Amino acid sequence: MTAHIIDGNAIARALRGEIARKVRVRLSGGRAAPGLAVIMVGNNPASEVYVRSKRRDCAEVGIRDIGLNLPANIGASQLLAEIDRFNADPSVDGILVQLPLPTAIDPNTIIERIRPDKDVDGFHPYNIGRLVVRMPLLRPCTPYGAMRLLESTGVSLRGQHAVVVGASNIVGRPMALELLLVGCTVTICHSATRDLAAEVARADVLVVAIGKPEMIPGDWIKPGALVVDVGINRLADNRIVGDVHFESACERASWITPVPGGVGPMTRAILLHNTLLAADRDRP
Ligand code: NAD
């Protein structure tokens, strides 16, 4: 079998087009452009690349972005004060703090300070809780983007056995909740899982988010499975690969996301979607 490739670039482009149209409707109705505050602490090179692309995406769809770069040695209290300022600013609909933060700052304290209705990353416990109780509102971008990619295949997900490898707060756990929401039977694997190969072999839908280059070989994958590879790993020769060994997985999967060009562009597009959603709810 040669898998169909799920084209994240094309699906994200279509979503950005839809968002741009909705922003134009807002503007033509005399309403303000949605505003997104992007806070970056320090100068982690990977974060700088992510922030630059997020700001470029905002410009493309007509979202006003407000960038704030803070020095790496800033204290948590100063960062919290900046968040409070954006929380109180009615022209700011979404607030994003680029992770990772310098180790001296506890990310949970920072995430909890963002007003839940401006939490466009969907990481605040309030928004995660809403996903748990089947009332999702601002949903974590990567898992929601991954769901849109799975849905684009047209394959019914209800009743399928989904296996999520990785249990982080920002990807694995909310991913499992999203899959549960559409009626999958969900298994979550992590670094203490005893027999990962056996768990993966049972997956009709496999989502991998571990951060280990090409760790899942194709011959673990159930023939016909849908495979979403969230991992982004840069190799010594500068190539970017996922957590799944793509070529061998293509021989088993029915559908698969490539890296790059799969989940990454969708994560960014969902951030725009969430910012527009926050603006439409708060400043209709
Ligand atoms: P994380 O380090 O916070 O979590 C990794 C998870 O994988 C943990 O739950 C850990 O228990 C599990 N794990 C590690 N080794 C394992 C093993 N050998 N077997 C089974 N489970 C194992 O990482 P994260 O933030 O969830 O990110 C995971 C990957 O996804 C990274 O490569 C990251 O760059 C990528 N990522 C991509 C996007 C995107 O937009 N495409 C967004 C976020 C993260």
Side-chain angles (χ1 to χ4, degrees):
M1 170 178 293
T2 304
H4 300 285
I5 307 296
I6 304 176
D7 186 347
N9 282 324
I11 298 166
R13 192 178 314 117
L15 180 56
R16 288 198 305 276
E18 207 181 290
I19 293 165
R21 265 192 309 283
K22 290 181 179 162
V23 170
R24 282 198 297 274
V25 170
R26 271 185 76 91
L27 296 177
S28 63
R31 289 170 295 160
L36 173 65
V38 181
I39 305 176
M40 186 164 140
V41 182
N43 48 6
N44 175 321
S47 295
E48 278 179 347
V49 172
Y50 288 137
V51 166
R52 253 200 312 277
S53 0
K54 286 170 185 173
R55 300 187 70 178
R56 201 169 47 234
D57 291 344
C58 284
E60 180 186 324
V61 301
I63 288 177
R64 192 174 65 93
D65 88 87
I66 306 118
L68 177 63
N69 290 347
L70 299 167
N73 62 359
I74 194 175
S77 59
Q78 288 161 285
L79 178 53
L80 291 171
E82 295 294 350
I83 292 173
D84 287 343
R85 190 165 64 80
F86 287 130
N87 277 342
D89 182 342
S91 74
V92 171
D93 300 290
I95 303 170
L96 177 156
V97 178
Q98 183 65 41
L99 301 177
L101 287 167
T103 44
I105 302 179
D106 169 30
N108 290 331
T109 313
I110 302 304
I111 290 167
E112 269 203 285
R113 190 64 156 252
I114 298 171
R115 250 174 62 171
D117 59 345
K118 297 192 179 194
D119 166 43
V120 286
D121 258 339
F123 295 162
H124 192 288
Y126 172 85
N127 284 313
I128 297 291
R130 290 198 67 117
L131 189 56
V132 172
V133 296
R134 294 178 278 182
M135 295 165 61
L137 203 53
L138 292 172
R139 308 156 89 134
C141 300
T142 300
Y144 189 40
M147 290 309 293
R148 303 283 285 250
L149 294 179
L150 284 170
E151 281 155 10
S152 77
T153 65
V155 176
S156 168
L157 298 173
R158 193 170 169 73
Q160 302 265 31
H161 187 179
V163 174
V164 180
V165 188
S168 69
N169 286 351
I170 64 170
V171 189
R173 282 163 201 262
M175 186 73 229
L177 293 168
E178 289 282 359
L179 289 160
L180 189 57
L181 205 57
V182 297
C184 288
T185 302
V186 184
T187 299
I188 308 174
C189 303
H190 42 74
S191 48
T193 296
R194 285 212 189 100
D195 187 349
L196 186 60
E199 302 296 343
V200 168
R202 277 199 288 275
D204 302 312
V205 178
L206 176 66
V207 181
V208 187
I210 48 186
K212 305 239 161 95
E214 301 177 324
M215 204 198 108
I216 308 288
D219 60 8
W220 286 12
I221 293 170
K222 182 173 176 177
L226 308 186
V227 177
V228 173
D229 189 352
V230 180
I232 302 176
N233 309 287
R234 188 179 287 278
L235 303 181
D237 64 5
N238 254 355
R239 264 188 322 126
I240 305 272
V241 297
D243 292 343
V244 175
H245 186 265
F246 184 74
E247 284 74 22
S248 57
C250 278
E251 288 168 24
R252 304 276 280 221
S254 60
W255 290 88
I256 188 167
T257 61
V259 179
V263 177
M266 273 313 272
T267 296
R268 285 164 45 192
I270 298 294
L271 174 68
L272 307 172
H273 163 88
N274 279 350
T275 304
L276 176 61
L277 181 65
D280 282 347
R281 285 179 58 85
D282 274 9
R283 296 190 293 160

